[in-house]
Amino acid sequence: MNLKFFILILTPTLIFSQNSSFIYEMNFRPNSDSIKTQKIIYFLDVKDKESIFRSDKFRTGDSLRTKRGYGNQADMQFNNQQLYIYKNHDKNEVNKYVFVPFVEPKYTIKIQEILIWNIKNEKKQIGKYDCQKAETNYGGRKWIAWFTNEIPVQDGPYIFRGLPGLIIEISDEKSNYSFSLGEVRDFLWKEFYLENSQRLITWDDFKKLQMNFYDNPFAIFSKSDIKNYDEAGNIIETDFKKMTESVQERTRNSNNPIELNQKLIYK
């Protein structure tokens, strides 16, 4: 018999019992038409009834920004690497942070898609954990998860949560995205160092931001802002047209967002 869990009716007594950092490896295909994959390390930091999921790079940058006023520069694209999620389990909130390259304001999308988990009878051991299979749909993809109730944390990578235990592995059925737990550490920070968001936006707003950047990625710069040099060290004129075409080509070749139902078609 399969069981279905709705995250909106979880009892608060089943939520977190520890403060930990769960380190996941994400393997993904930037281009769904290619077999080439990339790997990024992500941290799921759990503190009381809140959690943040972000890449090691963003996590380090957030800490540095808090301590010295600035952090690491974000990647120059919207999709794939931009998996930055804040969850508040008391308030039943899941927020996706959006970072526009070269632009200071940060944006937030409230994830309102409800996860309906279908828990299967199938079980297997992953590393030292006894795990059970579960399935759900999100972002236009079907997802297969393996969770363990040996870690009493109803959370997991990215937006995924709500199972009776920690998600150890999860991937979409076509293996465009897969997350696997590699390490568990104590959460040693006093604070999350969460990035500040200046504006709440919709998915339509997000698409407009993406398209505006695609059309003119260097809109905020003048020719004097970016300096290029030849082999002799002489300043040469900045070719914004060539730079723009390079960004556009890279964007088209890396257009396999985790929310497939929000995918833009670039020309």
Side-chain angles (χ1 to χ4, degrees), residues 19-21 45-47 54 59 185-192:
N19 297 342
S20 300
S21 293
D45 291 319
V46 175
K47 187 174 185 290
R54 57 194 161 185
R59 185 177 187 264
R185 301 177 186 171
D186 290 335
F187 181 72
L188 300 177
W189 292 354
K190 292 182 179 180
E191 303 294 339
F192 273 138

Side-chain angles (χ1 to χ4, degrees), residues 3-11 14-16 87 89 92 94 115-119 134 136 147 153-167:
L3 302 176
K4 291 188 177 180
F5 280 74
F6 296 78
I7 64 172
L8 291 182
I9 59 174
L10 291 173
T11 56
L14 295 178
I15 309 264
F16 301 149
K87 303 170 191 169
H89 297 268
N92 198 36
V94 180
L115 296 180
I116 302 175
W117 289 105
N118 190 357
I119 297 181
T136 193
F147 69 94
V153 174
Q154 294 187 348
D155 210 335
Y158 199 48
I159 59 92
F160 300 105
R161 63 178 183 133
L163 285 165
L166 182 74
I167 295 173

